[in-house]
Amino acid sequence: MVPITINGRRVEAEEGSSLLEACENAGVFIPKLCYHPALESVGTCRLCLVDVKGMGKLQPSCMTKVASGLEVVTENPEILEAIRANLRLLRSRHPNDCMTCEVNGRCQFQDLLYRYQIEDKYDKMSRIERKEELDLSSPSLVRDMDKCVLCGRCVRVCASIQGMNILAMVNRGSVEIPETVFELPLNSTQCINCGQCATVCPVGAIIEKPHIHDVVDALKHKDDRIIIASTAPAVRVAISEEFGLAPGSISTGHMVAALRKCGFDKVFDTNFTADLTTVEEANEFIARVKTGGPFPMFTSCCPAWINMVEKLYPELIPNISSCRSPQAMMGSLVKTFYAKKIGVAPEKIVLTSIMPCTAKKDEIQREQLAGDTDYVLTTRELAKLFRLNDVNFSSLEESDFDSPLGLSTGAAAIFGATGGVMESALRTAYETITGKDLPSVDLNAVRGLEGIRDAVVDVDGLKVKVAIANGGANVRKLIEKVLAKEADYHFIEIMECRGGCVGGGGEPKSMDKDILPKRIGGIYKIDHDMKMRKAHQNPAIKEIYEEFLEKPNSHIAHDLLHTHYHS
Ligand code: HC0
Ligand code: SF4
Protein backbone atom coordinates (compact mmCIF):
# COMPACT_ATOMS: atom_id res chain seq x y z
CA MET A 1 0.00 0.00 0.00
CA VAL A 2 1.17 3.52 -0.80
CA PRO A 3 -0.19 6.95 0.16
CA ILE A 4 -2.08 9.00 -2.45
CA THR A 5 -4.37 12.01 -2.21
CA ILE A 6 -7.90 11.93 -3.60
CA ASN A 7 -9.75 15.25 -3.57
CA GLY A 8 -7.41 16.50 -0.87
CA ARG A 9 -7.94 13.43 1.33
CA ARG A 10 -4.95 11.20 2.04
CA VAL A 11 -5.69 7.48 1.54
CA GLU A 12 -3.72 4.25 1.23
CA ALA A 13 -4.00 2.43 -2.10
CA GLU A 14 -2.46 -0.66 -3.62
CA GLU A 15 0.54 0.24 -5.74
CA GLY A 16 -0.01 -0.73 -9.39
CA SER A 17 -3.78 -1.06 -9.04
CA SER A 18 -5.90 1.33 -11.09
CA LEU A 19 -6.80 4.78 -9.85
CA LEU A 20 -10.42 3.90 -10.57
CA GLU A 21 -10.29 1.03 -8.07
CA ALA A 22 -8.42 3.17 -5.57
CA CYS A 23 -11.11 5.88 -5.79
CA GLU A 24 -13.93 3.36 -5.44
CA ASN A 25 -12.21 1.70 -2.47
CA ALA A 26 -12.04 5.16 -0.89
CA GLY A 27 -15.78 5.60 -1.46
CA VAL A 28 -15.35 8.15 -4.26
CA PHE A 29 -17.78 7.74 -7.18
CA ILE A 30 -16.28 7.37 -10.65
CA PRO A 31 -18.56 7.24 -13.71
CA LYS A 32 -17.80 4.45 -16.17
CA LEU A 33 -19.21 2.35 -18.98
CA CYS A 34 -16.36 0.41 -20.58
CA TYR A 35 -14.79 -0.61 -17.26
CA HIS A 36 -15.88 -3.94 -15.75
CA PRO A 37 -14.03 -5.62 -12.89
CA ALA A 38 -13.98 -9.01 -14.65
CA LEU A 39 -12.46 -7.59 -17.85
CA GLU A 40 -9.28 -5.96 -18.99
CA SER A 41 -9.54 -2.16 -18.93
CA VAL A 42 -9.39 -0.32 -22.25
CA GLY A 43 -10.18 3.29 -21.36
CA THR A 44 -12.40 3.96 -24.34
CA CYS A 45 -15.58 5.43 -22.85
CA ARG A 46 -13.73 8.49 -21.51
CA LEU A 47 -16.05 8.83 -18.55
CA CYS A 48 -13.75 7.87 -15.68
CA LEU A 49 -11.63 10.99 -16.21
CA VAL A 50 -9.58 12.41 -13.37
CA ASP A 51 -7.03 15.18 -12.98
CA VAL A 52 -3.66 13.89 -11.79
CA LYS A 53 -1.21 16.56 -10.68
CA GLY A 54 1.70 16.83 -13.07
CA MET A 55 0.14 14.66 -15.82
CA GLY A 56 -1.26 17.45 -18.00
CA LYS A 57 -4.56 16.54 -19.62
CA LEU A 58 -7.33 14.54 -17.93
CA GLN A 59 -6.55 10.84 -17.49
CA PRO A 60 -8.88 7.82 -17.69
CA SER A 61 -8.62 6.50 -14.12
CA CYS A 62 -9.14 2.87 -15.21
CA MET A 63 -5.85 3.03 -17.16
CA THR A 64 -3.81 5.04 -14.68
CA LYS A 65 -1.82 3.12 -12.11
CA VAL A 66 -1.50 4.03 -8.47
CA ALA A 67 1.94 5.29 -7.48
CA SER A 68 3.10 6.72 -4.19
CA GLY A 69 2.29 10.39 -3.72
CA LEU A 70 -0.19 10.83 -6.62
CA GLU A 71 -2.53 13.76 -6.15
CA VAL A 72 -5.87 13.10 -7.79
CA VAL A 73 -8.93 15.27 -8.30
CA THR A 74 -12.14 13.57 -9.45
CA GLU A 75 -14.45 16.56 -9.53
CA ASN A 76 -13.90 20.00 -11.03
CA PRO A 77 -15.67 21.98 -13.78
CA GLU A 78 -13.34 20.69 -16.50
CA ILE A 79 -13.91 17.03 -15.57
CA LEU A 80 -17.64 17.56 -15.27
CA GLU A 81 -17.88 19.19 -18.67
CA ALA A 82 -15.83 16.43 -20.33
CA ILE A 83 -18.02 13.72 -18.79
CA ARG A 84 -21.21 15.53 -19.75
CA ALA A 85 -20.00 16.06 -23.32
CA ASN A 86 -19.24 12.34 -23.70
CA LEU A 87 -22.58 11.34 -22.22
CA ARG A 88 -24.43 13.82 -24.45
CA LEU A 89 -22.77 12.32 -27.52
CA LEU A 90 -23.82 8.79 -26.56
CA ARG A 91 -27.27 10.07 -25.67
CA SER A 92 -27.64 11.58 -29.13
CA ARG A 93 -27.48 8.13 -30.75
CA HIS A 94 -29.59 6.36 -28.16
CA PRO A 95 -33.27 5.65 -28.76
CA ASN A 96 -35.97 7.22 -26.60
CA ASP A 97 -37.73 4.09 -25.47
CA CYS A 98 -36.61 3.75 -21.87
CA MET A 99 -40.20 3.42 -20.70
CA THR A 100 -40.65 0.14 -22.55
CA CYS A 101 -37.04 -1.06 -22.43
CA GLU A 102 -36.52 -4.43 -20.71
CA VAL A 103 -33.75 -3.01 -18.52
CA ASN A 104 -35.52 0.22 -17.54
CA GLY A 105 -34.48 1.04 -13.98
CA ARG A 106 -31.54 -1.37 -14.20
CA CYS A 107 -29.47 0.53 -16.77
CA GLN A 108 -26.04 1.93 -15.97
CA PHE A 109 -26.32 4.48 -18.81
CA GLN A 110 -29.72 5.72 -17.63
CA ASP A 111 -28.28 6.13 -14.12
CA LEU A 112 -25.43 8.23 -15.48
CA LEU A 113 -27.78 10.40 -17.54
CA TYR A 114 -29.75 11.16 -14.39
CA ARG A 115 -26.70 11.67 -12.26
CA TYR A 116 -25.14 14.13 -14.71
CA GLN A 117 -28.48 15.69 -15.64
CA ILE A 118 -28.24 15.05 -19.34
CA GLU A 119 -31.75 16.22 -20.04
CA ASP A 120 -32.89 16.08 -23.59
CA LYS A 121 -36.36 17.57 -23.31
CA TYR A 122 -35.51 20.14 -25.91
CA ASP A 123 -32.73 18.21 -27.64
CA LYS A 124 -33.38 18.23 -31.37
CA MET A 125 -30.89 15.37 -31.80
CA SER A 126 -32.85 12.85 -29.73
CA ARG A 127 -34.38 10.25 -31.96
CA ILE A 128 -36.75 7.36 -31.95
CA GLU A 129 -36.38 5.85 -35.39
CA ARG A 130 -34.54 2.53 -35.67
CA LYS A 131 -31.10 2.48 -37.31
CA GLU A 132 -29.88 -1.07 -36.71
CA GLU A 133 -31.97 -4.15 -37.29
CA LEU A 134 -33.17 -5.90 -34.15
CA ASP A 135 -31.57 -9.36 -34.00
CA LEU A 136 -34.17 -11.78 -32.65
CA SER A 137 -32.62 -14.85 -34.29
CA SER A 138 -31.17 -16.41 -31.13
CA PRO A 139 -33.38 -18.54 -28.88
CA SER A 140 -31.50 -17.11 -25.89
CA LEU A 141 -30.61 -13.50 -26.61
CA VAL A 142 -31.85 -10.32 -28.22
CA ARG A 143 -29.38 -7.86 -29.76
CA ASP A 144 -30.61 -4.29 -30.12
CA MET A 145 -27.59 -2.38 -31.36
CA ASP A 146 -29.48 0.91 -31.39
CA LYS A 147 -29.06 0.81 -27.63
CA CYS A 148 -25.34 0.11 -27.71
CA VAL A 149 -23.16 2.61 -25.82
CA LEU A 150 -19.93 1.32 -27.40
CA CYS A 151 -18.39 0.13 -24.15
CA GLY A 152 -17.10 -3.03 -25.87
CA ARG A 153 -17.63 -5.19 -22.78
CA CYS A 154 -19.52 -7.81 -24.85
CA VAL A 155 -16.64 -8.05 -27.34
CA ARG A 156 -14.05 -8.45 -24.58
CA VAL A 157 -15.99 -11.00 -22.49
CA CYS A 158 -16.75 -13.12 -25.56
CA ALA A 159 -13.12 -13.09 -26.69
CA SER A 160 -11.05 -13.20 -23.54
CA ILE A 161 -13.26 -14.99 -21.00
CA GLN A 162 -15.32 -17.20 -23.32
CA GLY A 163 -12.70 -17.77 -26.03
CA MET A 164 -15.40 -17.42 -28.69
CA ASN A 165 -14.74 -14.15 -30.62
CA ILE A 166 -18.29 -13.94 -31.92
CA LEU A 167 -18.41 -10.13 -31.76
CA ALA A 168 -16.02 -7.39 -32.90
CA MET A 169 -16.23 -3.61 -33.05
CA VAL A 170 -16.82 -2.46 -36.62
CA ASN A 171 -16.96 0.96 -38.26
CA ARG A 172 -15.94 4.15 -36.58
CA GLY A 173 -17.59 7.30 -35.29
CA SER A 174 -21.35 7.57 -35.30
CA VAL A 175 -21.89 4.15 -36.91
CA GLU A 176 -19.51 2.14 -34.69
CA ILE A 177 -21.09 -0.99 -33.16
CA PRO A 178 -20.13 -4.48 -32.02
CA GLU A 179 -21.03 -6.78 -34.90
CA THR A 180 -20.92 -10.48 -35.71
CA VAL A 181 -18.72 -11.82 -38.49
CA PHE A 182 -20.29 -10.95 -41.90
CA GLU A 183 -23.08 -9.29 -39.87
CA LEU A 184 -24.72 -12.68 -39.54
CA PRO A 185 -27.71 -13.04 -37.24
CA LEU A 186 -26.44 -14.36 -33.89
CA ASN A 187 -28.07 -17.74 -34.40
CA SER A 188 -26.11 -18.29 -37.62
CA THR A 189 -22.77 -17.78 -35.86
CA GLN A 190 -20.98 -20.20 -33.55
CA CYS A 191 -22.40 -18.37 -30.52
CA ILE A 192 -23.02 -20.86 -27.70
CA ASN A 193 -25.74 -18.73 -26.05
CA CYS A 194 -23.82 -18.48 -22.79
CA GLY A 195 -25.13 -14.92 -22.32
CA GLN A 196 -21.93 -13.57 -20.82
CA CYS A 197 -22.26 -10.64 -23.22
CA ALA A 198 -25.67 -9.89 -21.72
CA THR A 199 -24.47 -9.98 -18.09
CA VAL A 200 -21.78 -7.40 -18.75
CA CYS A 201 -23.86 -5.15 -21.04
CA PRO A 202 -24.48 -1.95 -19.07
CA VAL A 203 -27.64 -1.17 -21.05
CA GLY A 204 -30.29 -3.16 -22.91
CA ALA A 205 -28.30 -3.71 -26.10
CA ILE A 206 -27.87 -7.44 -25.44
CA ILE A 207 -30.45 -9.06 -23.19
CA GLU A 208 -31.88 -12.50 -22.56
CA LYS A 209 -34.74 -13.40 -24.89
CA PRO A 210 -37.57 -12.41 -22.57
CA HIS A 211 -40.01 -15.13 -21.52
CA ILE A 212 -41.36 -13.01 -18.68
CA HIS A 213 -44.25 -11.62 -20.72
CA ASP A 214 -45.52 -15.12 -21.56
CA VAL A 215 -45.17 -16.19 -17.94
CA VAL A 216 -47.06 -13.11 -16.69
CA ASP A 217 -49.76 -13.89 -19.22
CA ALA A 218 -49.98 -17.56 -18.15
CA LEU A 219 -50.26 -16.54 -14.49
CA LYS A 220 -52.99 -14.01 -15.32
CA HIS A 221 -55.00 -16.31 -17.56
CA LYS A 222 -54.62 -19.70 -15.92
CA ASP A 223 -57.97 -21.07 -17.15
CA ASP A 224 -57.91 -24.73 -16.17
CA ARG A 225 -54.12 -25.02 -16.38
CA ILE A 226 -51.69 -25.75 -13.57
CA ILE A 227 -48.80 -23.31 -13.50
CA ILE A 228 -45.60 -24.76 -12.06
CA ALA A 229 -42.18 -23.26 -11.34
CA SER A 230 -38.93 -25.13 -10.78
CA THR A 231 -35.84 -23.36 -9.49
CA ALA A 232 -32.16 -24.00 -10.29
CA PRO A 233 -29.46 -24.41 -7.64
CA ALA A 234 -27.76 -21.05 -8.26
CA VAL A 235 -30.84 -18.83 -8.28
CA ARG A 236 -31.65 -19.12 -4.55
CA VAL A 237 -28.38 -17.39 -3.72
CA ALA A 238 -28.06 -14.78 -6.48
CA ILE A 239 -31.68 -13.56 -6.27
CA SER A 240 -30.78 -12.05 -2.88
CA GLU A 241 -28.67 -9.37 -4.61
CA GLU A 242 -31.70 -8.06 -6.50
CA PHE A 243 -33.42 -7.28 -3.20
CA GLY A 244 -30.59 -5.49 -1.44
CA LEU A 245 -29.29 -8.47 0.54
CA ALA A 246 -25.58 -9.16 0.85
CA PRO A 247 -24.14 -11.19 -2.05
CA GLY A 248 -23.99 -14.84 -1.03
CA SER A 249 -27.10 -14.61 1.18
CA ILE A 250 -29.33 -17.67 0.91
CA SER A 251 -32.95 -16.86 0.03
CA THR A 252 -34.47 -20.27 -0.70
CA GLY A 253 -37.55 -19.93 1.53
CA HIS A 254 -38.26 -16.35 0.51
CA MET A 255 -37.87 -17.21 -3.17
CA VAL A 256 -40.38 -20.07 -2.91
CA ALA A 257 -42.82 -17.85 -0.98
CA ALA A 258 -42.44 -15.10 -3.58
CA LEU A 259 -43.19 -17.55 -6.40
CA ARG A 260 -46.37 -18.58 -4.63
CA LYS A 261 -47.32 -14.92 -4.22
CA CYS A 262 -46.94 -14.48 -7.98
CA GLY A 263 -49.54 -17.21 -8.45
CA PHE A 264 -47.59 -20.38 -9.22
CA ASP A 265 -49.69 -23.38 -8.16
CA LYS A 266 -46.69 -25.57 -7.39
CA VAL A 267 -43.04 -24.81 -6.80
CA PHE A 268 -40.68 -27.69 -7.52
CA ASP A 269 -36.94 -27.80 -7.13
CA THR A 270 -34.51 -28.45 -9.97
CA ASN A 271 -32.20 -29.59 -7.14
CA PHE A 272 -34.38 -32.73 -6.92
CA THR A 273 -33.52 -33.57 -10.52
CA ALA A 274 -29.91 -32.58 -9.88
CA ASP A 275 -29.85 -35.47 -7.37
CA LEU A 276 -31.46 -37.66 -10.00
CA THR A 277 -28.85 -36.58 -12.56
CA THR A 278 -26.11 -37.53 -10.12
CA VAL A 279 -27.51 -41.02 -9.66
CA GLU A 280 -27.97 -41.56 -13.41
CA GLU A 281 -24.60 -40.00 -14.30
CA ALA A 282 -22.63 -41.85 -11.59
CA ASN A 283 -24.14 -45.11 -12.81
CA GLU A 284 -23.34 -44.22 -16.42
CA PHE A 285 -19.75 -43.53 -15.35
CA ILE A 286 -19.53 -46.85 -13.49
CA ALA A 287 -20.88 -48.65 -16.57
CA ARG A 288 -18.17 -46.97 -18.67
CA VAL A 289 -15.51 -48.05 -16.16
CA LYS A 290 -16.73 -51.63 -16.52
CA THR A 291 -16.87 -51.54 -20.33
CA GLY A 292 -13.76 -49.45 -20.96
CA GLY A 293 -15.12 -46.04 -21.93
CA PRO A 294 -15.27 -43.96 -23.96
CA PHE A 295 -13.14 -41.71 -21.77
CA PRO A 296 -13.01 -39.00 -20.77
CA MET A 297 -16.69 -38.86 -19.96
CA PHE A 298 -17.91 -35.25 -19.94
CA THR A 299 -20.77 -33.84 -17.90
CA SER A 300 -23.75 -32.77 -19.98
CA CYS A 301 -25.76 -30.34 -17.88
CA CYS A 302 -24.31 -27.06 -19.18
CA PRO A 303 -26.26 -26.26 -22.38
CA ALA A 304 -23.67 -23.76 -23.61
CA TRP A 305 -21.12 -26.59 -23.40
CA ILE A 306 -23.40 -28.86 -25.42
CA ASN A 307 -23.65 -26.06 -28.00
CA MET A 308 -19.87 -25.76 -28.04
CA VAL A 309 -19.40 -29.48 -28.62
CA GLU A 310 -22.02 -29.67 -31.34
CA LYS A 311 -20.67 -26.59 -33.13
CA LEU A 312 -16.92 -26.89 -32.59
CA TYR A 313 -15.95 -30.35 -31.33
CA PRO A 314 -18.48 -32.85 -32.74
CA GLU A 315 -15.87 -35.62 -32.51
CA LEU A 316 -16.41 -35.48 -28.73
CA ILE A 317 -20.13 -36.27 -28.88
CA PRO A 318 -19.65 -39.95 -27.88
CA ASN A 319 -17.78 -38.77 -24.79
CA ILE A 320 -20.63 -36.63 -23.47
CA SER A 321 -22.78 -38.18 -20.77
CA SER A 322 -26.16 -39.07 -22.23
CA CYS A 323 -27.90 -37.70 -19.12
CA ARG A 324 -30.33 -34.87 -19.74
CA SER A 325 -29.67 -31.81 -17.63
CA PRO A 326 -31.61 -31.48 -14.36
CA GLN A 327 -33.77 -28.84 -16.07
CA ALA A 328 -34.65 -31.28 -18.85
CA MET A 329 -35.23 -34.17 -16.42
CA MET A 330 -37.63 -31.94 -14.48
CA GLY A 331 -39.43 -31.11 -17.72
CA SER A 332 -39.94 -34.71 -18.71
CA LEU A 333 -40.95 -35.86 -15.22
CA VAL A 334 -43.49 -33.05 -14.77
CA LYS A 335 -45.13 -33.83 -18.10
CA THR A 336 -45.16 -37.64 -17.57
CA PHE A 337 -44.79 -38.86 -13.97
CA TYR A 338 -46.40 -35.84 -12.27
CA ALA A 339 -49.17 -35.33 -14.85
CA LYS A 340 -50.13 -38.98 -14.44
CA LYS A 341 -49.91 -38.80 -10.67
CA ILE A 342 -52.39 -35.91 -10.46
CA GLY A 343 -54.52 -37.16 -13.36
CA VAL A 344 -54.03 -34.10 -15.55
CA ALA A 345 -53.22 -34.02 -19.28
CA PRO A 346 -49.65 -32.78 -19.85
CA GLU A 347 -50.97 -29.98 -22.10
CA LYS A 348 -52.77 -28.57 -19.06
CA ILE A 349 -49.49 -28.01 -17.25
CA VAL A 350 -47.33 -24.95 -17.86
CA LEU A 351 -43.79 -25.43 -16.54
CA THR A 352 -41.50 -22.45 -16.01
CA SER A 353 -37.92 -23.14 -15.17
CA ILE A 354 -36.03 -20.47 -13.22
CA MET A 355 -32.39 -20.50 -14.26
CA PRO A 356 -29.20 -18.43 -13.89
CA CYS A 357 -28.57 -19.16 -17.54
CA THR A 358 -29.57 -17.87 -20.98
CA ALA A 359 -28.56 -21.08 -22.80
CA LYS A 360 -31.29 -22.91 -20.87
CA LYS A 361 -33.78 -20.98 -23.05
CA ASP A 362 -32.12 -22.60 -26.03
CA GLU A 363 -32.03 -26.03 -24.36
CA ILE A 364 -35.83 -26.26 -23.95
CA GLN A 365 -36.21 -25.76 -27.69
CA ARG A 366 -33.92 -28.66 -28.65
CA GLU A 367 -36.02 -31.01 -30.71
CA GLN A 368 -35.14 -33.93 -28.36
CA LEU A 369 -36.59 -32.02 -25.39
CA ALA A 370 -39.22 -29.76 -26.93
CA GLY A 371 -42.58 -29.50 -25.21
CA ASP A 372 -41.38 -30.48 -21.74
CA THR A 373 -40.39 -27.12 -20.23
CA ASP A 374 -42.51 -24.24 -21.50
CA TYR A 375 -40.55 -21.18 -20.38
CA VAL A 376 -37.24 -20.26 -18.81
CA LEU A 377 -36.88 -17.15 -16.70
CA THR A 378 -33.41 -15.93 -15.83
CA THR A 379 -32.63 -14.77 -12.28
CA ARG A 380 -32.90 -11.20 -13.60
CA GLU A 381 -36.34 -11.89 -15.07
CA LEU A 382 -37.42 -13.55 -11.84
CA ALA A 383 -36.54 -10.41 -9.88
CA LYS A 384 -38.57 -8.39 -12.35
CA LEU A 385 -41.52 -10.75 -11.95
CA PHE A 386 -41.33 -10.29 -8.18
CA ARG A 387 -41.21 -6.51 -8.55
CA LEU A 388 -44.19 -6.57 -10.94
CA ASN A 389 -46.11 -8.50 -8.30
CA ASP A 390 -45.19 -6.06 -5.50
CA VAL A 391 -43.41 -8.83 -3.64
CA ASN A 392 -41.86 -7.59 -0.41
CA PHE A 393 -39.15 -10.20 -0.72
CA SER A 394 -37.39 -10.36 2.64
CA SER A 395 -40.47 -9.87 4.76
CA LEU A 396 -42.39 -12.81 3.28
CA GLU A 397 -42.86 -15.85 5.47
CA GLU A 398 -40.52 -18.53 4.13
CA SER A 399 -42.08 -21.44 2.29
CA ASP A 400 -40.99 -24.98 1.38
CA PHE A 401 -40.94 -26.62 -2.04
CA ASP A 402 -43.83 -28.89 -2.99
CA SER A 403 -43.53 -32.65 -3.13
CA PRO A 404 -42.91 -35.03 -4.79
CA LEU A 405 -40.36 -33.12 -6.90
CA GLY A 406 -39.07 -30.78 -4.22
CA LEU A 407 -36.77 -32.67 -1.88
CA SER A 408 -33.00 -32.52 -2.42
CA THR A 409 -29.62 -33.04 -0.75
CA GLY A 410 -26.55 -30.87 -0.29
CA ALA A 411 -25.00 -32.65 -3.26
CA ALA A 412 -27.61 -30.99 -5.50
CA ALA A 413 -27.00 -27.56 -4.00
CA ILE A 414 -23.36 -27.55 -5.08
CA PHE A 415 -24.31 -28.10 -8.74
CA GLY A 416 -24.52 -24.31 -8.84
CA ALA A 417 -20.75 -23.87 -8.37
CA THR A 418 -17.88 -25.00 -10.60
CA GLY A 419 -16.75 -28.46 -9.47
CA GLY A 420 -20.05 -29.21 -7.76
CA VAL A 421 -21.43 -31.62 -10.35
CA MET A 422 -18.17 -33.57 -10.21
CA GLU A 423 -18.11 -33.60 -6.40
CA SER A 424 -21.70 -34.80 -6.24
CA ALA A 425 -21.06 -37.56 -8.82
CA LEU A 426 -17.94 -38.68 -6.95
CA ARG A 427 -19.79 -38.85 -3.61
CA THR A 428 -22.32 -41.20 -5.19
CA ALA A 429 -19.95 -43.16 -7.46
CA TYR A 430 -17.59 -43.84 -4.54
CA GLU A 431 -20.30 -45.27 -2.33
CA THR A 432 -21.97 -47.18 -5.17
CA ILE A 433 -18.69 -48.79 -6.27
CA THR A 434 -17.24 -49.54 -2.83
CA GLY A 435 -20.38 -50.02 -0.75
CA LYS A 436 -18.52 -48.03 1.93
CA ASP A 437 -19.14 -44.59 3.43
CA LEU A 438 -16.98 -41.81 2.02
CA PRO A 439 -14.18 -40.96 4.45
CA SER A 440 -14.95 -37.23 4.00
CA VAL A 441 -17.98 -35.75 2.25
CA ASP A 442 -16.09 -32.54 1.39
CA LEU A 443 -13.92 -33.30 -1.66
CA ASN A 444 -11.84 -30.15 -1.46
CA ALA A 445 -9.56 -31.22 -4.29
CA VAL A 446 -12.24 -30.42 -6.87
CA ARG A 447 -13.30 -27.06 -5.37
CA GLY A 448 -11.95 -23.62 -6.22
CA LEU A 449 -12.11 -20.91 -8.83
CA GLU A 450 -9.09 -21.70 -10.99
CA GLY A 451 -10.10 -22.04 -14.63
CA ILE A 452 -8.81 -25.61 -14.95
CA ARG A 453 -8.34 -27.95 -12.02
CA ASP A 454 -7.60 -31.64 -11.80
CA ALA A 455 -7.29 -34.34 -9.16
CA VAL A 456 -6.87 -38.05 -8.74
CA VAL A 457 -9.55 -39.59 -6.57
CA ASP A 458 -8.84 -42.93 -4.97
CA VAL A 459 -11.97 -45.07 -5.15
CA ASP A 460 -10.86 -48.08 -3.15
CA GLY A 461 -7.73 -48.61 -5.22
CA LEU A 462 -9.24 -47.38 -8.48
CA LYS A 463 -7.46 -44.13 -9.39
CA VAL A 464 -10.05 -41.89 -11.03
CA LYS A 465 -8.49 -38.93 -12.84
CA VAL A 466 -10.87 -36.00 -12.95
CA ALA A 467 -10.69 -32.47 -14.32
CA ILE A 468 -12.89 -29.40 -14.09
CA ALA A 469 -12.98 -26.39 -16.39
CA ASN A 470 -15.02 -23.20 -16.08
CA GLY A 471 -15.19 -20.23 -18.45
CA GLY A 472 -15.21 -20.89 -22.21
CA ALA A 473 -11.58 -19.93 -22.87
CA ASN A 474 -10.41 -22.36 -20.16
CA VAL A 475 -12.74 -25.03 -21.51
CA ARG A 476 -11.22 -24.67 -24.96
CA LYS A 477 -7.70 -24.94 -23.54
CA LEU A 478 -8.57 -28.17 -21.74
CA ILE A 479 -10.36 -29.61 -24.78
CA GLU A 480 -7.39 -28.88 -27.03
CA LYS A 481 -5.23 -30.89 -24.58
CA VAL A 482 -7.69 -33.77 -24.56
CA LEU A 483 -7.88 -33.79 -28.37
CA ALA A 484 -4.09 -33.68 -28.62
CA LYS A 485 -4.02 -36.70 -26.29
CA GLU A 486 -1.98 -34.75 -23.77
CA ALA A 487 -4.42 -35.60 -21.01
CA ASP A 488 -5.90 -38.91 -19.94
CA TYR A 489 -8.75 -38.00 -17.67
CA HIS A 490 -11.63 -40.33 -16.92
CA PHE A 491 -14.23 -37.74 -16.03
CA ILE A 492 -14.42 -34.02 -16.83
CA GLU A 493 -16.89 -31.41 -15.61
CA ILE A 494 -17.45 -28.48 -17.92
CA MET A 495 -19.24 -25.24 -17.14
CA GLU A 496 -19.01 -22.50 -19.77
CA CYS A 497 -19.43 -19.65 -17.30
CA ARG A 498 -16.76 -18.56 -14.82
CA GLY A 499 -17.59 -19.90 -11.38
CA GLY A 500 -20.14 -22.32 -12.83
CA CYS A 501 -23.86 -21.51 -12.84
CA VAL A 502 -23.48 -18.85 -10.13
CA GLY A 503 -21.71 -16.83 -12.82
CA GLY A 504 -24.33 -17.64 -15.47
CA GLY A 505 -25.43 -15.30 -18.23
CA GLY A 506 -28.83 -14.81 -16.57
CA GLU A 507 -27.56 -13.81 -13.15
CA PRO A 508 -27.87 -10.31 -11.67
CA LYS A 509 -25.44 -7.86 -13.23
CA SER A 510 -22.75 -7.12 -10.69
CA MET A 511 -19.81 -4.74 -10.55
CA ASP A 512 -18.41 -6.47 -7.44
CA LYS A 513 -15.06 -8.03 -8.33
CA ASP A 514 -15.54 -10.68 -5.63
CA ILE A 515 -19.06 -11.62 -6.64
CA LEU A 516 -18.22 -15.20 -7.66
CA PRO A 517 -16.52 -16.28 -4.40
CA LYS A 518 -19.37 -14.65 -2.46
CA ARG A 519 -22.06 -16.56 -4.38
CA ILE A 520 -20.04 -19.79 -4.21
CA GLY A 521 -19.73 -19.32 -0.44
CA GLY A 522 -23.54 -19.29 -0.19
CA ILE A 523 -23.79 -22.45 -2.32
CA TYR A 524 -21.35 -24.46 -0.17
CA LYS A 525 -23.05 -23.21 2.99
CA ILE A 526 -26.35 -24.71 1.81
CA ASP A 527 -24.59 -28.07 1.37
CA HIS A 528 -22.69 -27.82 4.62
CA ASP A 529 -25.82 -27.11 6.65
CA MET A 530 -27.83 -30.02 5.24
CA LYS A 531 -28.26 -33.37 6.93
CA MET A 532 -28.42 -35.30 3.66
CA ARG A 533 -25.41 -34.53 1.49
CA LYS A 534 -25.32 -37.42 -0.99
CA ALA A 535 -27.76 -37.71 -3.88
CA HIS A 536 -28.35 -41.45 -3.51
CA GLN A 537 -29.52 -40.90 0.08
CA ASN A 538 -32.45 -38.71 -1.03
CA PRO A 539 -35.60 -40.66 -0.03
CA ALA A 540 -37.65 -38.93 -2.75
CA ILE A 541 -35.17 -40.24 -5.34
CA LYS A 542 -35.43 -43.77 -3.95
CA GLU A 543 -39.21 -43.40 -4.08
CA ILE A 544 -39.39 -42.26 -7.70
CA TYR A 545 -37.25 -45.24 -8.78
CA GLU A 546 -39.55 -47.61 -6.87
CA GLU A 547 -42.73 -46.00 -8.14
CA PHE A 548 -41.83 -45.06 -11.71
CA LEU A 549 -38.26 -45.24 -12.97
CA GLU A 550 -37.40 -48.80 -11.81
CA LYS A 551 -33.62 -48.45 -11.42
CA PRO A 552 -30.77 -46.20 -12.58
CA ASN A 553 -30.20 -46.42 -16.35
CA SER A 554 -33.32 -48.62 -16.76
CA HIS A 555 -35.19 -48.61 -20.06
CA ILE A 556 -37.72 -46.03 -18.86
CA ALA A 557 -34.95 -43.94 -17.27
CA HIS A 558 -33.24 -43.94 -20.66
CA ASP A 559 -36.42 -42.82 -22.39
CA LEU A 560 -37.15 -39.98 -20.01
CA LEU A 561 -33.84 -38.93 -18.49
CA HIS A 562 -31.29 -39.39 -21.26
CA THR A 563 -30.82 -37.77 -24.65
CA HIS A 564 -28.58 -37.61 -27.71
CA TYR A 565 -26.61 -34.92 -29.50
CA HIS A 566 -25.85 -34.09 -33.10
CA SER A 567 -23.59 -31.74 -34.98
FE1 HC0 B 1 -27.08 -25.01 -13.40
FE2 HC0 B 1 -28.03 -27.30 -13.58
S1 HC0 B 1 -26.57 -26.65 -11.96
S2 HC0 B 1 -26.82 -26.32 -15.26
O1 HC0 B 1 -25.12 -25.19 -13.34
O2 HC0 B 1 -26.62 -29.84 -13.90
O3 HC0 B 1 -28.33 -23.10 -15.30
O4 HC0 B 1 -27.94 -23.32 -11.03
O5 HC0 B 1 -30.03 -25.48 -13.07
O6 HC0 B 1 -30.20 -28.09 -15.51
O7 HC0 B 1 -29.57 -28.56 -11.41
C1 HC0 B 1 -27.80 -23.71 -14.51
C2 HC0 B 1 -27.54 -23.87 -11.94
C3 HC0 B 1 -28.92 -25.74 -13.25
C4 HC0 B 1 -29.40 -27.86 -14.76
C5 HC0 B 1 -29.05 -28.12 -12.24
C6 HC0 B 1 -27.19 -28.87 -13.85
FE1 SF4 C 1 -20.18 -14.65 -27.11
FE2 SF4 C 1 -21.54 -16.07 -25.28
FE3 SF4 C 1 -22.46 -13.66 -26.09
FE4 SF4 C 1 -22.52 -15.76 -27.76
S1 SF4 C 1 -23.67 -15.55 -25.84
S2 SF4 C 1 -21.86 -13.68 -28.27
S3 SF4 C 1 -20.65 -16.87 -27.19
S4 SF4 C 1 -20.55 -14.07 -24.96
Side-chain angles (χ1 to χ4, degrees), residues 231-235 270-271 273-274 277 300-303 325-328 354-357 360 363 412 415-417 421 495 500-502:
T231 59
V235 177
T270 312
N271 288 28
T273 35
T277 301
S300 55
C301 45
C302 172
S325 73
Q327 162 171 282
I354 321 278
M355 294 280 142
C357 172
K360 289 283 176 194
E363 181 184 278
F415 267 53
V421 177
M495 290 290 175
C501 289
V502 290

Side-chain angles (χ1 to χ4, degrees), residues 6 53 60 95 156 199 232 236 298 311 354 380 460 469:
I6 302 175
K53 195 172 174 189
R156 278 174 286 149
T199 33
R236 66 207 64 201
F298 288 97
K311 289 184 174 188
I354 321 278
R380 293 191 292 268
D460 223 16

Side-chain angles (χ1 to χ4, degrees), residues 199-215:
T199 33
V200 297
C201 178
V203 292
I206 307 187
I207 60 166
E208 62 272 74
K209 176 76 71 76
H211 288 187
I212 185 170
H213 308 295
D214 293 314
V215 174

Side-chain angles (χ1 to χ4, degrees), residues 141 143 154 157-159 162 164-167 186 189-198 206 358:
L141 298 158
R143 283 177 72 241
C154 56
V157 81
C158 187
Q162 296 308 86
M164 292 302 295
N165 292 296
I166 302 299
L167 304 165
L186 203 53
T189 69
Q190 291 186 321
C191 169
I192 56 174
N193 289 325
C194 66
Q196 285 303 310
C197 47
I206 307 187
T358 51

